[in-house]
Amino acid sequence: MSHTYDVVIVGGGPAGIASAIEAKALGLTKVLMIEKGENHSQTIRKFYKDSKRVDKDYKGIVVELKGSVDFEDGTKESTLDYFDALLDNENIDTLFNLEVEKITKEKDVFRVTTSNVDYVAKNVIIAIGTMGKPNKPDYKTPSSLRDKVNFNINKSSEGEDVLVVGGGNSAIEYAIDLAQTNNVTLAYRKEKFTRVNDTNKKMLYEYSAEYGLEIKMNTDITSLEDENERPKVHFNDESYTVYDRVIYAIGGTAPVDFLKSSGVTFDENEKAILDKNFESETKGLYLAGDIAVRKGGSIAFALSHAYHIIAHITK
Ligand SMILES: Cc1cc2nc3c(=O)[nH]c(=O)nc-3n(C[C@H](O)[C@H](O)[C@H](O)COP(=O)(O)OP(=O)(O)OC[C@H]3O[C@@H](n4cnc5c(N)ncnc54)[C@H](O)[C@@H]3O)c2cc1C
């Protein structure tokens, strides 16, 4: 059994990193973290704009942190640096560029199958987040527009007519960030913003006044068309506008098939069945971070899940 890990952690975002750190702190020695990206924290790297403010009490929700991983307000860069330092200082055994494809329980252990090698573990923590699969609209995006229809702002450049779709903090932060150098419209299907923190809300209205950021509430998109390689967007009031770029920030979805085939069971609302320690009905198989909550996750929640799971494993 010398190659049997105490815990294999799938995913190297905040929940995965904190699980590895807490595991070491609470005395587990054989700990392995597997991350499919070329570096840790792919959601922060790909979906946060540069210099983004990172709030610990995200959306105003205060999470009391226990355990070894502390976390404070900062920026995208300071947050990534912090997680870098944690992984380096604690010498966490990590494999990058490796995707976990399947988890199978075999008697008392788990076989964790990757594209390369299988790993055997007594416990597995799935901490894969939901942003590997960003939510997409129901209508079709013409394939010719793939470059102009995005799920983060990385491809944007200055002087574009941009439509940002969504009503959460991510959508508002994207709109605010682009508004100084672009002609930005924010479209949200509801009549009010309900999931947005006060700072973002205040900045949105300031930017609307100062930079002409247009806010379209009660607005749904019905279809997208290619008009000379630019997205022509049809709205539910039968109007349309042609933009240079459309950016969707409408959250992400749990890869339910992966979870089900790994032994996670779901209730009638397609919500993973977990106990108070975030353990699934397959004993020894845990979910941490965004994947455990599906909606309304945060870095602090991810850290808190990690602590509770490891405390339960080591009890
Ligand atoms: C634009 C935006 C802004 C945000 N701002 C804030 C903020 O200010 N404050 C805050 O607290 N929260 C913020 N959040 C939320 C926060 O980023 C998440 O709650 C947090 O990243 C969740 O951590 P996680 O470890 O559960 O998942 P993730 O951070 O999504 O990490 C999951 C990791 O698993 C990897 N992975 C996925 N599948 C596999 C696989 N099969 N095999 C191996 N690896 C895999 C991924 O590559 C990824 O690195 C924001 C989110 C977004 C999108």
Side-chain angles (χ1 to χ4, degrees):
M1 295 290 276
S2 62
H3 292 296
T4 301
Y5 285 95
D6 292 321
V7 59
V8 165
I9 299 153
V10 184
I17 296 170
S19 299
I21 301 296
E22 301 294 0
K24 285 266 169 124
L26 292 181
L28 298 179
T29 48
K30 294 180 191 161
V31 179
L32 175 67
M33 188 176 90
I34 303 176
E35 163 57 49
K36 75 174 178 183
E38 63 186 18
N39 211 332
H40 64 87
S41 308
Q42 289 296 309
T43 293
I44 295 178
R45 283 176 208 281
K46 284 192 192 158
F47 291 91
Y48 290 19
K49 62 192 174 67
D50 290 345
S51 314
K52 171 185 149 45
R53 191 188 72 242
V54 176
D55 305 318
K56 177 195 163 268
D57 298 335
Y58 191 45
K59 299 180 187 169
I61 300 171
V62 182
V63 180
E64 192 203 334
L65 290 178
K66 293 183 184 158
S68 313
V69 182
D70 205 3
F71 181 60
E72 289 171 1
D73 291 345
T75 60
K76 168 181 178 173
E77 292 73 18
S78 69
T79 305
L80 288 173
D81 286 348
Y82 177 63
F83 287 129
D84 267 345
L86 282 178
L87 286 175
D88 285 352
N89 296 344
E90 300 303 326
N91 239 330
I92 301 298
D93 206 353
T94 308
L95 297 168
F96 289 117
N97 287 315
L98 192 61
E99 180 161 0
V100 171
E101 293 173 346
K102 207 164 78 181
I103 299 161
T104 328
K105 188 146 192 189
E106 296 176 350
K107 294 193 183 140
D108 289 339
V109 291
F110 292 91
R111 177 170 298 279
V112 179
T113 305
T114 70
S115 39
N116 190 358
V117 182
D118 287 3
Y119 298 90
V120 177
K122 293 180 195 161
N123 300 281
V124 174
I125 301 175
I126 302 178
I128 57 176
T130 55
M131 294 309 287
K133 228 179 142 198
N135 286 336
K136 301 200 166 151
D138 299 335
Y139 41 85
K140 223 171 156 306
T141 300
S143 55
S144 51
L145 290 178
R146 291 269 149 81
D147 250 20
K148 307 283 172 63
V149 175
N150 313 136
F151 298 89
N152 59 43
I153 60 171
N154 300 347
K155 288 193 176 158
S156 312
S157 48
E158 294 186 4
E160 292 182 327
D161 288 335
V162 185
L163 176 69
V164 177
V165 183
N169 286 297
S170 311
I172 290 183
E173 287 180 16
Y174 286 168
I176 288 171
D177 190 54
L178 294 169
Q180 286 187 47
T181 51
N182 295 277
N183 189 13
V184 177
T185 304
L186 175 72
Y188 185 38
R189 65 194 162 84
K190 298 197 176 159
E191 65 180 13
K192 274 203 290 209
F193 296 110
T194 49
R195 298 176 288 120
V196 175
N197 65 42
D198 291 343
T199 317
N200 280 341
K201 226 188 263 180
K202 186 165 166 279
M203 278 180 84
L204 177 69
Y205 293 114
E206 279 170 12
Y207 274 54
S208 177
E210 197 169 334
Y211 300 107
L213 193 170
E214 188 187 349
I215 305 167
K216 276 165 95 75
M217 304 303 284
N218 279 319
T219 301
D220 248 332
I221 295 169
T222 52
S223 63
L224 281 187
E225 238 185 302
D226 181 340
E227 174 137 318
N228 302 323
E229 299 182 5
R230 297 170 79 213
K232 179 174 180 181
V233 180
H234 293 268
F235 296 104
N236 53 340
D237 62 1
E238 306 207 338
S239 66
Y240 65 82
T241 307
V242 180
Y243 296 92
D244 294 313
R245 188 172 300 286
V246 178
I247 298 172
Y248 291 94
I250 50 178
T253 314
V256 173
D257 292 343
F258 170 76
L259 295 176
K260 281 186 177 164
S261 69
S262 300
V264 178
T265 50
F266 284 78
D267 66 15
E268 63 281 6
N269 300 315
E270 286 289 284
K271 200 171 176 306
I273 300 175
L274 303 174
D275 69 10
K276 64 179 187 341
N277 302 306
F278 304 97
E279 190 174 27
S280 70
E281 291 192 308
T282 300
K283 293 300 145 202
L285 181 66
Y286 298 81
L287 261 57
D290 279 9
I291 195 80
V293 294
R294 305 264 304 264
K295 258 192 177 170
S298 71
I299 294 172
F301 272 127
L303 306 183
S304 164
H305 294 170
Y307 171 74
H308 279 99
I309 291 170
I310 298 296
H312 182 247
I313 291 176
T314 53
K315 200 159 67 179

